[in-house]
Every structure is written in structure tokens, then in C-alpha cells.
Amino acid sequence: MLTVKTPEDASATIRSIYQDKRTGIVRIETQSALGRILGADVIADEYVPGFDRSTVDGYAVIASDTFGCSASIPAVLELEGEILMGEAAHGSLKPLTCIAVSTGGDLPEGADAVVMVEHVEVYGDGLIGILRPVAPGNNIIFKGDDVSPGDLILKAGTVLDAYDIGLLSALGKTEVCVMHKPVVGIISTGDELVDSAQTPGRGQIRDVNTPMLMAAILKCGAQPRNYGIVRDEAQALSQAVTCAVTECDVVLISGGSSAGVRDMTAKIIQTHGTLIFHGIAMKPGKPTIFGSIHEIPVFGLPGHPVAAYFVTELFVRPLIAGLMGADVRRNTAFFAIGEAISANHGRAEYVAVRVGQAGVAVPLKGKSGLISSLAYSDGYICIPRDREGVSKGAMVEVIYW
Amino acid sequence: MLTVKTPEDASATIRSIYQDKRTGIVRIETQSALGRILGADVIADEYVPGFDRSTVDGYAVIASDTFGCSASIPAVLELEGEILMGEAAHGSLKPLTCIAVSTGGDLPEGADAVVMVEHVEVYGDGLIGILRPVAPGNNIIFKGDDVSPGDLILKAGTVLDAYDIGLLSALGKTEVCVMHKPVVGIISTGDELVDSAQTPGRGQIRDVNTPMLMAAILKCGAQPRNYGIVRDEAQALSQAVTCAVTECDVVLISGGSSAGVRDMTAKIIQTHGTLIFHGIAMKPGKPTIFGSIHEIPVFGLPGHPVAAYFVTELFVRPLIAGLMGADVRRNTAFFAIGEAISANHGRAEYVAVRVGQAGVAVPLKGKSGLISSLAYSDGYICIPRDREGVSKGAMVEVIYW
């Protein structure tokens, strides 16, 4: 009999076993990389911007030519033409001259500032009056201000967002190395289960976990693989599991509401691999099993959908992220709890909450089979196992889904 | 000359024009619906669970048979067999008898509570000793406790998460009506732009906005369509825009860093449709243009990637959500700001921030062209236009990306 682990111990155990394991790297087009996890650090090999650019519409000048000028005594400069967008500036700016430039335009040699168009007077005879002095560097973004060659611009493990794709594009990196998506096998067990397309008879229920976990795994950035519903029968389950561990990076055996199936799952893991823990001191989710077969992590998830979802969120998701060299970052915020919650001493209790209009977190407590409580929630709170509950109005940390 | 709008006015204007416009509805498989937006309310037509179920492994009893029992004086009941998972309970429970049942199992007529297996003694001769009394309803989840026919289970506009797919599956809803993804046309303008696969010459830069906005639109749940880079030339731009408005639900004209292009975009909108506003009192993002052509919303986004990204996040994303009948929900949290920020009076200033380890939000201020500042950020803060800035250590509300 293995001891029941606390949620912290369970997380630490999983992490310690799999911390160095990684899926491989694949090179894909940057434009298809949204949401993928970077497989290697990206180092810049160019300057961004690649040349000194104006940040305003105006006139490139030698700053010292404008010193001391004002609206009443403008500095008068000769207009030497215009730098068009997309064109290189030619030649060098001579003292007491200026060149018209648009936002983003190149600057001629010698120009060390740009006067905004709002701060000049155009005299119309090729002369420009500067009404406000500028200091060297004003209204210029210099070559390499954003990125220089050798800069680490994105770290391995970054989940690529739209602006990261922008940054890679700015550097001409049209391909990028990302982590392979781990393949996660999903096996549902239970003689009471029928496919969600079927009408269950009395004593039967539709298989909620398979479609829910398929979607949850997709959301984790991994590739779910459906092994269907397996009867509560040792040989059938053993066959499905041993097949799945050869085809997947992670295997989830969901279901086994009955004690018999739980024991069967544990026994199969023990027969073919190593049973690592059996039970987590949490609610919902206590009957969670974890082990490994041929170094593939295998979870026995509770049959209750809400419990299965919490265990997936808390333990499977970080493992999947870890296999891709990434971390799970959860956004949290503090709210007053809308009603008192009593909790079981000795077990960490996870409660789905809805964040109401008045900045109050309303607990959606229900029996753990009630999948609707999750559908109405924005996130969850955790009542630690050394607390007896929370009283109404207490501040709680809501972890957003 | 149209007046510059505040960000609030700009949002309200866009909303008021397009609040009743919707993309159509399409019926898809529930298992493919992750992240899609529900197109119609979903009403339950079944009970979940469909029968009274045990929530524990134990013995179904008539509660009154257990009243007054204890570990020292157990209530002795005759064991009438076992209800197997997936099977219907037959017959009715007679007084002073019990039936073994697993978690999730069906209950026989007459049984009104379940005694947990931990609270019985098995005498081995067909008799079971009950060591703790149970009240009617204990350890049972009743038919319809989660959902009953007629219940509104998911509202139109819901972004479908994994647990929603679970809930739909529990009800046998294997297909679901979702909103069509709006098609968003992306046009980049600027003579200085070259495709991100090319090496820019001096005065040229790579087109960052097209790949960035393609990804940002995908993240909004819409379908981006790339119209490529268009030269700063009225006829070419006009042609691209008039084509895009016939093929798209929203059109983004990105770029036009130079004053000439901005005017050109405004003029094209005015020629073919209605220019609604030209300029938003925000930083970055001031030169934003908004109008409609043949009732299709057309944005003129700033050329600077960071400005284009903020405008997309703040104005395009809510419009896209609205076209699908959904709202944008942004998660926020309060942090102390890591350093003072001075802001321009009169313009709302948006600053990307990184949330550091010590619960401090570090501003990533840069010139608005610096796309790397977004890549290192977790979210942003807004300094309202009636504030001159924030002092170091002040509490700020971080809006997560």
C-alpha cells in the first residue's frame, strides 16, 4: 500500500522523474507557430532597426543648429529635399541645412536629431524656420535600439504569442524551432459508459471524460489520441494501456469509478512498470494514480469529470508543459469569497468559483460529478489542507483557468 | 477634419455601429468545438445524471434501518447482492436488507441512502453490520441534480472550453451551433516594407505587422486573410481595400507610417464609404483610423508594430468578439509598479509590463516601434489621460494579454 501524497508532493514527484525528459524539436514556418513552444533560444544576427530612423514626421537636422531658437527667433535652415520612405538617405547633411523625413524614414549622415513638423514654419522659398531647439538624439530611434546581433531575443520554452511572431519576422526568421507536441493517449474505462452519441440505459452514463480530456489536452498544446471506451476487464485494459505506451508520450486512463477498476489500473501499472503513487490528499481527485511504463508517465484519473478535470489541470498540464521545456503560468487575483466554505481537514480542497460583477468570487460547490459547476466558473480556489474552510468575505486567491 | 476620440469614445462608437451585426451560425461536431463561440443557447432535454447514483463505494440502504446504530451496536442488514456498474438495479429494497454498490452505481427502488464501505463490518454469512447511521439522501446524487430538461446549460456567446465540451457530451449533444469565424483581411502598406523573408536594404524594413496581425487575428478566434504588401500608391491601395471589403467581415490596413499614407487610407475610406474617426487620444496608437465601406468595418492601424498591436487588442478584438455575439473578458490583477512612469497629459498611455517575481510590475517602456518590449511582457497597464503618470510603488491594475 503506497502512502497518499499531498498535492505538493505529487507535483514534486512527477517533476523530479520527468524534469529532463523532452519531446523532440521540429522546424516549422514562423507564421504557423502561434501557441507553439520554442525549442531553442533565438539569437539575433541583425540590428533592429537596421538604420537610424526618425520617429516623427519632420526635418532631420544637426541639433546644434537649433540651439537657442524659439518661436520669436526661429533658426532658419535650408531645405535640402526629402527622404522618401523605403529609400536610403544619400550624402551627408551640411550645417544649416535640413531634410524632410517621414516617421520611420532613413536619416542622412550627420543628422543627429529630427524636429517635429509641428515645430517648424515653412517659408516656401526653400527655407524652414525651426521654432524649438532639439537635443542630439531627439526623435530618432538608432540602429540596434531594439535588437543587436548576439542578443538573446526569445528563450527556449517561450509560448509563442502574436508579438513574438512579429519579433521573429522583424529579424527575418521565417522558420523557427519548436517542440514536438507530446502525444497524449486517452483511455476511458467503465462498464457504465456509453459513447456520448448513444442514449444511455438505466445504470449507464455517457462518456464525458473522453471528449472533455481530448479538448483539455489540445488546450495544453499537446496532441490527444483517443483509445475509446474499454470495458472493466483486466485483459482489455492491459492491452489498451500497453499499446498506448508504445504510441504516446503520456497516457491517461480515465474512469474507474468503481474500486475494482482503480485496483485494476494500479495493478496493470505495477505489472508492466512502476506504480509511483496511489492517492492524492485532495478533494476532488483523491483516487488519482500515477506510475510509469517503459518510462512513459501513466495517470489513473478519477472517473468523476470534475475530479478528472482538476487533476488534469493541476498535474497533467504541468507535465505536458515540462516535456516541451515550458512552465505553466497561471494568472491569479484576490477576491472576497461570496459564501463560507467548509473543508475537510487534511485534504487540499479545490473549489470552482465564478467571479461576480461586484468583485466577489462565488463558489460553485457541488458534488464532484457535477460538470456544470465547471462550465459556469472562471477559475478555482484552493483551501489548503491545514485549513478547516474559509469564512464568508475572506480574501481568496482565484486561479483563472 | 474629424475630432480625435478618447479610447472610451472610440470603443463606444465602434460598438454602437456594429452591436447588432453577427456572422452566421454553423453546425459542427462538439469534439471540434474547443475555443469556438456558441451560436445559440443550449437547453437540456435530459436529466443529468439520468438516475439516482451512489457517490461512494458502499451499501444502499433504507436510512431509517440505520438510525441509532453505532460501532458498538451495529445495525445488522441482510446483503441482497450487488449492483454491477452499467447495470440497472432491479426490484425494490426490502426493509433490513442492503445491496452493495460502487461509486456511480444505480440504486434500487426504496434505497434512500448509501453507507460508505469504511463504515460497515462484513460478517461473511450474508450479513452486514452498519457502524454509523446515515440520513436520507446521504451519499446519493439524485437524477437531475446536475441538469434537468429545460435548463439553460450554456448561453450563446460562450467561448467553449474543455469542460463545456464535457457538459455537452454528458447531454449527448454531439453537434453544436457555433458562430462563423469572421474573415479579417490584412493589408500592409508602406514603400519601406519588404517581406519578412527578404533582406531589407538601407531605408527598408521587414513587414512585421502582417505576420503579427495574422497571428493576433487567429488568436481572436477569427480567420485572417493576407492581402500582402501594397505600395504607397492611391490606386493600388484603393484596389486592395475595395477587393478586401467584398471578401472579408473586417479589414485592417496596417502601416502608413508616413503622413501621406495615413491621408490616403482616410481618403479611400471616405471615397468608398464613411470615415468615422481619425485619431484616438492614446499612446501608442494615436494615428488610428476607423470607417466603414459597404458596412464592413475598416481600420487604419498605425505602422509601428507595438501601436498596431495595442489598437488590435483594444479595438479590433472586441469588435471581432462582438461579431460572434461574445464579449472580451480580460483578467486583471493589482501590482506595485516597479518604476515611475511619466505620461502625456491628455492621452491615455498604454505601457507593456512584466510581472516580476516579487509581485512587482516592471514597465517595459520603449519607443513605440520596439516590438521586443511586447515579447518580454505579461500584460499592460493604462495610465488614464487625466493623470500625469504614476510614481514608483503605486498600485496599478495589470491587464494580462
Side-chain angles (χ1 to χ4, degrees):
Chain A
M1 179 67 188
L2 292 156
T3 49
V4 168
K5 292 214 179 268
T6 65
E8 297 75 21
D9 284 346
S11 293
T13 300
I14 297 170
R15 196 166 46 236
S16 72
I17 299 172
Y18 289 103
Q19 61 189 350
D20 295 324
K21 188 157 183 180
R22 294 284 181 278
T23 59
I25 284 173
V26 59
R27 206 170 167 80
I28 64 169
E29 289 199 329
T30 300
Q31 62 185 25
S32 308
L34 179 70
R36 295 299 292 268
I37 292 172
L38 207 54
D41 290 347
V42 178
I43 310 289
D45 41 22
E46 293 186 12
Y47 291 97
V48 177
F51 54 95
D52 297 349
R53 303 178 73 193
S54 175
T55 61
V56 296
D57 295 338
Y59 296 85
V61 298
I62 298 162
S64 58
D65 285 347
T66 70
F67 291 172
C69 78
S70 66
S72 49
I73 312 165
V76 179
L77 304 180
E78 213 170 308
L79 181 60
E80 287 282 333
E82 183 183 0
I83 296 163
L84 295 174
M85 291 305 288
E87 293 192 355
H90 294 297
S92 177
L93 194 67
K94 290 186 290 288
L96 295 175
T97 67
C98 64
I99 288 188
V101 61
S102 288
T103 305
D106 190 18
L107 298 174
E109 298 290 315
D112 62 358
V114 179
V115 180
M116 289 174 75
V117 72
E118 291 88 338
H119 301 151
V120 307
E121 227 164 7
V122 180
Y123 297 129
D125 50 0
L127 295 179
I128 300 286
I130 307 295
L131 310 179
R132 282 200 203 175
V134 281
N138 276 180
N139 300 321
I140 296 179
I141 172 171
F142 292 99
K143 176 178 177 174
D145 256 357
D146 200 358
V147 176
S148 292
D151 284 356
L152 170 63
I153 60 157
L154 289 170
K155 272 190 222 165
T158 300
V159 183
L160 293 170
D161 208 321
Y163 36 77
D164 300 313
I165 288 170
L167 180 56
L168 291 164
S169 302
L171 286 157
K173 300 199 178 280
T174 53
E175 292 190 341
V176 67
C177 288
V178 297
M179 301 302 292
H180 260 295
K181 295 181 180 192
V183 177
V184 180
I186 296 167
I187 299 170
S188 277
T189 66
D191 285 340
E192 75 277 27
L193 297 182
V194 299
D195 186 272
S196 59
Q198 285 181 260
T199 302
R202 179 149 173 198
Q204 298 183 319
I205 57 162
R206 292 201 184 86
D207 174 20
V208 169
N209 283 350
T210 299
M212 180 183 76
L213 293 174
M214 294 286 287
I217 292 308
L218 212 55
K219 219 181 142 195
C220 290
Q223 189 57 53
R225 182 173 295 186
N226 183 2
Y227 287 85
I229 300 170
V230 176
R231 293 296 113 201
D232 287 350
E233 196 270 302
Q235 206 190 330
L237 185 56
S238 180
Q239 217 157 35
V241 174
T242 50
C243 170
V245 293
T246 66
E247 297 176 335
C248 302
D249 299 296
V250 180
V251 174
L252 310 181
I253 305 165
S254 140
S257 293
S258 64
V261 180
R262 287 200 296 273
D263 295 343
M264 208 188 292
T265 300
K267 211 169 286 171
I268 287 168
I269 295 176
Q270 227 155 6
T271 305
H272 298 281
T274 311
L275 184 61
I276 297 164
F277 60 78
H278 190 163
I280 303 179
M282 64 184 283
K283 185 182 173 188
K286 184 162 175 281
T288 299
I289 295 167
F290 182 70
S292 80
I293 299 177
H294 305 321
E295 295 183 18
I296 298 299
V298 179
F299 284 87
L301 300 180
H304 281 306
V306 174
Y309 193 80
F310 268 108
V311 174
T312 302
E313 170 66 22
L314 295 170
F315 303 100
V316 180
R317 188 176 155 211
L319 173 62
I320 288 173
L323 291 175
M324 293 189 281
D327 289 320
V328 170
R329 185 151 185 164
R330 297 187 171 95
N331 292 333
T332 69
F334 284 86
F335 294 95
I337 193 83
E339 53 190 79
I341 307 173
S342 62
N344 287 17
H345 197 75
R347 282 210 246 165
E349 185 150 348
Y350 295 85
V351 180
V353 296
R354 181 173 190 83
V355 175
Q357 298 292 11
V360 166
V362 180
L364 300 164
K365 275 204 73 168
K367 303 176 188 179
S368 74
L370 303 189
I371 183 72
S372 62
S373 69
L374 289 185
Y376 306 143
S377 70
D378 297 309
Y380 62 94
I381 62 168
C382 173
I383 304 170
R385 65 203 161 84
D386 56 1
R387 290 271 300 276
E388 298 257 338
V390 290
S391 45
K392 184 177 172 175
M395 292 306 283
V396 291
E397 185 172 24
V398 172
I399 302 117
Y400 291 108
W401 291 122
Chain B
M1 181 65 188
L2 292 157
T3 49
V4 167
K5 292 214 180 267
T6 64
E8 297 75 21
D9 284 347
S11 293
T13 301
I14 297 169
R15 196 167 44 238
S16 72
I17 299 171
Y18 289 103
Q19 61 189 349
D20 296 325
K21 189 157 181 176
R22 295 283 182 279
T23 60
I25 284 173
V26 57
R27 207 171 166 79
I28 64 170
E29 289 198 330
T30 300
Q31 63 185 25
S32 308
L34 179 70
R36 296 298 294 267
I37 292 172
L38 207 53
D41 291 346
V42 178
I43 310 289
D45 41 22
E46 293 186 11
Y47 290 97
V48 177
F51 53 95
D52 297 349
R53 302 178 74 194
S54 175
T55 61
V56 295
D57 295 338
Y59 295 86
V61 299
I62 298 163
S64 58
D65 286 348
T66 70
F67 291 172
C69 77
S70 68
S72 49
I73 312 166
V76 179
L77 304 181
E78 214 170 309
L79 180 61
E80 287 283 333
E82 183 183 359
I83 297 163
L84 295 174
M85 291 307 287
E87 292 191 357
H90 294 296
S92 180
L93 194 67
K94 289 187 290 287
L96 296 175
T97 67
C98 65
I99 289 189
V101 62
S102 288
T103 306
D106 190 21
L107 298 174
E109 297 291 316
D112 62 358
V114 179
V115 179
M116 289 173 76
V117 71
E118 292 88 338
H119 302 153
V120 306
E121 228 166 5
V122 180
Y123 297 129
D125 52 357
L127 295 180
I128 300 286
I130 307 293
L131 311 179
R132 282 202 204 174
V134 281
N138 277 182
N139 301 321
I140 296 179
I141 173 171
F142 291 100
K143 176 178 177 173
D145 256 357
D146 199 359
V147 176
S148 292
D151 284 356
L152 170 63
I153 59 157
L154 288 169
K155 272 191 223 166
T158 300
V159 183
L160 293 171
D161 207 321
Y163 37 77
D164 299 313
I165 288 171
L167 181 55
L168 291 164
S169 302
L171 285 156
K173 300 199 179 280
T174 53
E175 292 189 341
V176 67
C177 289
V178 297
M179 300 302 291
H180 259 296
K181 295 181 179 191
V183 177
V184 180
I186 296 167
I187 299 170
S188 277
T189 67
D191 285 340
E192 75 276 27
L193 297 182
V194 299
D195 186 272
S196 59
Q198 286 181 260
T199 303
R202 179 150 170 196
Q204 298 183 318
I205 56 163
R206 292 201 184 86
D207 175 20
V208 169
N209 283 350
T210 299
M212 180 183 76
L213 293 173
M214 293 285 287
I217 292 307
L218 212 55
K219 218 181 143 195
C220 290
Q223 190 56 53
R225 181 173 296 186
N226 184 3
Y227 288 86
I229 301 170
V230 177
R231 294 295 113 202
D232 287 350
E233 196 269 301
Q235 207 190 329
L237 185 56
S238 180
Q239 216 156 35
V241 174
T242 49
C243 170
V245 293
T246 65
E247 297 176 338
C248 302
D249 299 296
V250 179
V251 175
L252 310 182
I253 305 166
S254 140
S257 293
S258 65
V261 181
R262 288 200 297 273
D263 295 343
M264 208 188 292
T265 301
K267 211 168 287 170
I268 287 168
I269 295 175
Q270 227 155 7
T271 305
H272 298 282
T274 312
L275 184 62
I276 297 164
F277 59 78
H278 190 163
I280 304 179
M282 64 184 283
K283 185 184 173 187
K286 183 162 176 281
T288 299
I289 295 167
F290 182 71
S292 80
I293 298 177
H294 305 321
E295 295 183 17
I296 298 299
V298 180
F299 285 87
L301 301 180
H304 281 306
V306 174
Y309 193 79
F310 268 108
V311 174
T312 302
E313 170 67 22
L314 294 170
F315 303 100
V316 181
R317 188 176 156 211
L319 172 62
I320 288 172
L323 292 175
M324 294 189 280
D327 289 319
V328 170
R329 183 147 186 169
R330 297 185 171 96
N331 293 333
T332 69
F334 284 87
F335 293 96
I337 193 84
E339 52 190 79
I341 308 174
S342 62
N344 287 17
H345 196 76
R347 283 210 246 165
E349 185 151 346
Y350 295 85
V351 181
V353 296
R354 181 172 190 84
V355 175
Q357 297 292 11
V360 167
V362 180
L364 302 165
K365 275 204 76 168
K367 301 176 189 178
S368 74
L370 303 189
I371 183 73
S372 62
S373 69
L374 290 185
Y376 307 143
S377 70
D378 298 309
Y380 62 94
I381 62 167
C382 174
I383 304 171
R385 65 202 161 85
D386 56 0
R387 292 270 300 276
E388 299 256 338
V390 290
S391 44
K392 183 177 172 174
M395 292 305 284
V396 292
E397 184 172 25
V398 173
I399 302 116
Y400 291 108
W401 292 122

